[in-house]
Amino acid sequence: MPPRIVTVDTPAPAVRLIYDFVSPAEESYIIEKVSAVGGDSSKLWGWKELNGRRSMYWGGTVTPSATLIPAPFPSFMDSAWPNVLERITDTGAFDVFGVDAKGKKKAPNHCLVNEYLPGQGIMAHTDGPAYSPLVSTLSLGSHSILTLRPRRSHTNPSTSNSTSPPTELTPEPSTSTTLPPLTAPSPPNADDPPPLSIFLPARSLILLSEELYSDWMHGIEADIKLDTMDSLRACANWESFWEAGGGMLDELMGSAGGEVGSGSTPMDKKQAIEALVARRRIAEAGQGWERGTRLSLTCRRVDKVRKGIKLG
């Protein structure tokens, strides 16, 4: 059964989410593999410090002319289980990029991995035209809240003549382990629509595209270790998260293969829904949700690929 894609009600298109894109077991496995890859200094992969956080790139380097110099992915991303890139391609979201010369669907070919410790964030930015018109981000380990707001500009950035990728996210080809810093965003304009908050639960995949990709900035507010219920309820998809099962319905019904309730017998759907309602009441009666360590895997497509060169 194809995953259910939820379109979030937003003032501009488009934010779509797939809750429980990976199972809890797959989440744990990927986190373990990311940790192993990040500590392997013998390969092109490996953690680098970026604005006080650890980050790494897979799939190659994107030049200032928005061209990808390809490099290998870790096997669990593109060839071995759980084959994250193939699974993302199978959602149909990347059909917007068309097919290659062999008639095969074009898949994501670049990935930025970020680690966020509790209280860490990233300032508002855009990912730039190199990956337009779509990026996908898989959240692992913890939830977070993504904030979007329009750029302070009276021109349409999507019609800009610039073809350069964002320097804050895409370094020039280099053997250096130092990545360039983010640049500060412009202050908000009084005429801009209000910021938009999106709840990103663990194991979810967000698809950011169209106007919200090109003309809005996105970021994660820093210095927050606990999201209050007011901030969670203010998220545009808080209701749809619970309607989709709150990231728990399949697990409660036993399809995730884990223990459920107080025993090992899976619940039927009615019991699972009742348990889910009870969990929501408990959650919304509490003080909020603490943020843990979160990994984000931002998978995107660079259409211009330099042929005959492959790093690694």
Side-chain angles (χ1 to χ4, degrees), residues 27-37 295:
E27 176 186 41
S28 296
Y29 179 81
I30 295 170
I31 290 173
E32 178 183 325
K33 288 296 185 180
V34 170
S35 178
V37 168
L295 292 177

Side-chain angles (χ1 to χ4, degrees), residues 8 10-11 15 17 116 120-127 137 139 143-151 185-186 188 192-201 206 208 211-213 215-224 227 230-232 234-237 291 294:
V8 182
T10 56
V15 170
L17 281 151
Y116 295 91
Q120 289 186 326
I122 184 170
M123 68 173 61
H125 63 280
T126 63
D127 286 1
T137 299
S139 295
H143 79 278
S144 192
I145 293 179
L146 185 72
T147 301
L148 297 100
R149 65 176 180 85
R151 297 194 199 195
S186 302
D192 285 342
L196 175 67
S197 296
I198 304 294
F199 177 59
L200 303 179
I206 183 173
L208 183 64
E211 188 177 334
L212 287 179
Y213 174 86
D215 299 347
W216 287 54
M217 306 177 80
H218 58 272
I220 294 173
E221 190 173 345
D223 302 321
I224 295 178
D227 291 299
D230 285 344
S231 63
L232 290 167
C235 292
N237 63 315
R291 295 187 184 184
R294 172 177 171 263

